[in-house]
Amino acid sequence: MPRAPEELQQDKVLLRFLEEINDDVLRACEENDESDAERFFTDWMLEFWTDTGLIEEGAAVCNYDTRKFKVNGYKPSTDEDSVDLFVSHLVQQTEIQTLTKAQVNSLFTRARDFFEESAATSKRFFERMDGPPEAAAIAEDIFTRRRKIDRVRFLLFTNAVSISTVKDEEQVGNRTFSYEILDLERTLQEHLSRQPITIDFRSEFGESIPCLKAPNMEADYTSCLAMFRGEILYKIYKRYGARLLERNVRSFLQARPKVNKGIRETIVKMPDRFLAYNNGISATAAHIDFYDAPGGSCVINRITDLQIVNGGQTTAMIYQTHKIAPEHVSKIYVPAKITMVKDPALLDSIVPEIARCANSQNKISDSDFLANDAFHTTLQDLSRLTAAKLPGSSQVF
């Protein structure tokens, strides 16, 4: 059956993209006078996906490839309780190749075996393994962190097209294993257009988000006030991480430890007070699917291109605190102001301004809060009731 013109055009674009990747990898091999093309392919993919925010910066690259084990890169999270392991499959062909389900499963299995062998309490795999020193360093780091690691994400890099879907998450003991395939098609999609974060709350979490829509305005945006359960916000951040904060001008990296501690203590000690004490989050979206429920209430069923522009600190701390007190996170509610920009062409101009304004605030010192202390208010009342006379003057103030 002849292929449709749009399919043929898509194949041409995909082939050109494959040629670009292969040329970059070949050039890197020549410049470094090395033949390890898979290593430079891993470098290329890590740089690409780090720029998108999917992977944290600072990943280590290696090429450890045996019959039983395979790992091409490693990145522990900044909070030390999760790690990323990368496994690469480079096809050095000028035509687009496919990656079968069996091949995908084999690559993920070898990467997982490497992790489990490295993390085995009764073994010191890094001391007896044959291979490059950077692979031994990765194995040793996993062994050192083994008691803290509760989540491992395996990412498969390939310049082929995978015909397999992503494997389901697995829960083994107290660890969660997740799997992600970053093949040629997905990389091209990301290259051509940043894939927005789209969340269907009903299908993904089994519930909609209650909200209050602003009155109709003659403006190029519309806003609503929503109420997120802490558990929902935790799951969203767990899935998307720093990608949620791409438009946040200061992001979570600049959060103050003192503020973090306060957020955590409120969740752990007074979850019922969280809504009263926390300012919530500000977010933007390209589109919001509202549903007017019976009784006059309104809910959000789906959000496209969700970005947290203020409140990344709160969101990240909810995620962190869930690890030590999940039952408390499930009790809190987080208010959110969500702004939907009606014209997609204005998204890149309006959203940064929303982010800038949401993050602009006058500095308040701890001493400022003492102004409403009972002692000071009583002293103020007494000062207003007590007359004072200046020395040498008959005038009373």
Side-chain angles (χ1 to χ4, degrees):
M1 179 178 178
R3 294 174 65 82
E6 58 271 18
E7 292 179 323
L8 293 173
Q9 182 62 32
Q10 184 178 2
D11 287 347
K12 291 180 181 178
V13 174
L14 197 62
L15 184 58
R16 284 199 298 269
F17 188 57
L18 172 65
E19 292 172 351
E20 289 178 15
I21 295 176
N22 290 345
D23 287 346
D24 288 344
V25 171
L26 179 59
R27 189 179 305 109
C29 289
E30 293 174 347
E31 290 175 353
N32 292 274
D33 196 24
E34 289 188 23
S35 58
D36 191 355
E38 194 168 75
R39 182 186 186 93
F40 292 111
F41 171 68
T42 304
D43 272 330
W44 193 98
M45 292 291 280
L46 278 173
E47 182 178 355
F48 178 89
W49 287 105
T50 298
D51 287 343
T52 69
L54 181 67
I55 299 171
E56 291 184 5
E57 293 184 355
V61 179
C62 75
N63 189 1
Y64 185 61
D65 190 351
T66 68
R67 182 183 60 83
K68 185 176 181 181
F69 307 113
K70 182 171 175 62
V71 63
N72 295 89
Y74 170 74
K75 178 66 180 74
S77 64
T78 52
D79 53 22
E80 299 187 344
D81 62 356
S82 63
V83 298
D84 288 345
L85 274 174
F86 311 104
V87 57
S88 296
H89 178 79
L90 175 66
V91 180
Q92 294 179 292
Q93 300 287 338
T94 57
E95 299 295 328
I96 298 172
Q97 305 295 312
T98 58
L99 197 63
T100 67
K101 182 177 181 179
Q103 289 175 303
V104 168
N105 289 339
S106 174
L107 289 163
F108 278 139
T109 298
R110 291 163 69 195
R112 176 173 164 173
D113 286 345
F114 176 87
F115 172 81
E116 292 184 329
E117 190 77 5
S118 300
T121 304
S122 60
K123 302 177 181 180
R124 299 175 71 87
F125 179 51
F126 63 91
E127 291 181 348
R128 54 185 174 79
M129 63 186 295
D130 293 327
E134 55 264 34
I138 292 173
E140 183 175 8
D141 192 69
I142 292 173
F143 181 80
T144 303
R145 301 172 187 264
R146 66 191 184 281
R147 292 187 176 88
K148 297 181 180 179
I149 299 173
D150 59 16
R151 184 175 183 85
V152 184
R153 183 174 63 160
F154 298 97
L155 296 102
L156 169 58
F157 296 148
T158 181
N159 63 340
V161 174
S162 173
I163 60 175
S164 173
T165 57
V166 178
K167 292 180 63 176
D168 293 333
E169 285 191 351
E170 295 177 300
Q171 189 70 35
V172 180
N174 62 345
R175 291 196 182 103
T176 301
F177 294 123
S178 64
Y179 307 86
E180 198 155 351
I181 303 172
L182 303 177
D183 67 349
L184 184 65
E185 283 187 327
R186 182 172 172 187
T187 306
L188 175 62
Q189 290 173 2
E190 186 69 37
H191 175 71
L192 295 176
S193 174
R194 182 181 65 88
Q195 291 182 323
I197 293 174
T198 300
I199 304 171
D200 190 320
F201 294 99
R202 288 182 62 83
S203 64
E204 295 182 38
F205 305 117
E207 62 184 80
S208 300
I209 305 299
C211 71
L212 176 65
K213 284 193 293 185
N216 290 330
M217 301 177 295
E218 293 184 3
D220 48 15
Y221 70 93
T222 186
S223 291
C224 70
L225 298 178
M227 193 68 68
F228 285 86
R229 288 197 304 112
E231 187 73 17
I232 297 296
L233 211 53
Y234 156 75
K235 290 179 179 179
I236 293 173
Y237 190 83
K238 178 182 178 182
R239 179 174 301 177
Y240 297 105
R243 286 190 61 203
L244 277 171
L245 314 177
E246 286 177 353
R247 297 183 187 272
N248 190 327
V249 296
R250 59 182 181 178
S251 193
F252 179 62
L253 298 177
Q254 299 178 17
R256 292 170 293 171
K258 186 176 181 180
V259 176
N260 294 343
K261 184 179 179 182
I263 295 173
R264 176 174 296 194
E265 286 185 351
T266 301
I267 298 173
V268 174
K269 298 179 180 179
M270 298 174 288
D272 55 321
R273 299 275 184 91
F274 189 87
L275 184 60
Y277 290 173
N278 191 272
N279 290 330
I281 64 177
S282 295
T284 61
H287 185 73
I288 302 175
D289 288 344
F290 294 105
Y291 174 70
D292 293 324
S297 61
C298 181
V299 296
I300 297 173
N301 283 338
R302 181 184 175 94
I303 292 181
T304 300
D305 201 4
L306 176 67
Q307 284 287 296
I308 295 175
V309 297
N310 183 259
Q313 187 171 345
T314 294
T315 307
M317 284 310 301
I318 288 173
Y319 169 77
Q320 296 289 344
T321 309
H322 189 278
K323 299 168 186 175
I324 61 172
E327 69 283 0
H328 290 180
V329 170
S330 66
K331 296 178 181 178
I332 68 172
Y333 284 86
V334 184
K337 184 186 77 171
I338 308 176
T339 301
M340 180 177 72
V341 181
K342 297 179 180 179
D343 185 354
L346 299 176
L347 199 64
D348 289 332
S349 59
I350 294 180
V351 172
E353 282 301 302
I354 295 174
R356 184 181 64 81
C357 294
N359 285 280
S360 299
Q361 49 197 327
N362 293 328
K363 178 179 174 57
I364 300 178
S365 302
D366 287 346
S367 59
D368 295 330
F369 292 103
L370 296 177
N372 291 323
D373 187 82
F375 172 80
H376 291 98
T377 56
T378 302
L379 182 63
Q380 182 185 50
D381 292 340
L382 289 173
S383 70
R384 289 174 176 173
L385 295 173
T386 304
K389 185 171 70 174
L390 290 176
S393 172
S394 60
Q395 188 173 2
V396 177
F397 295 86

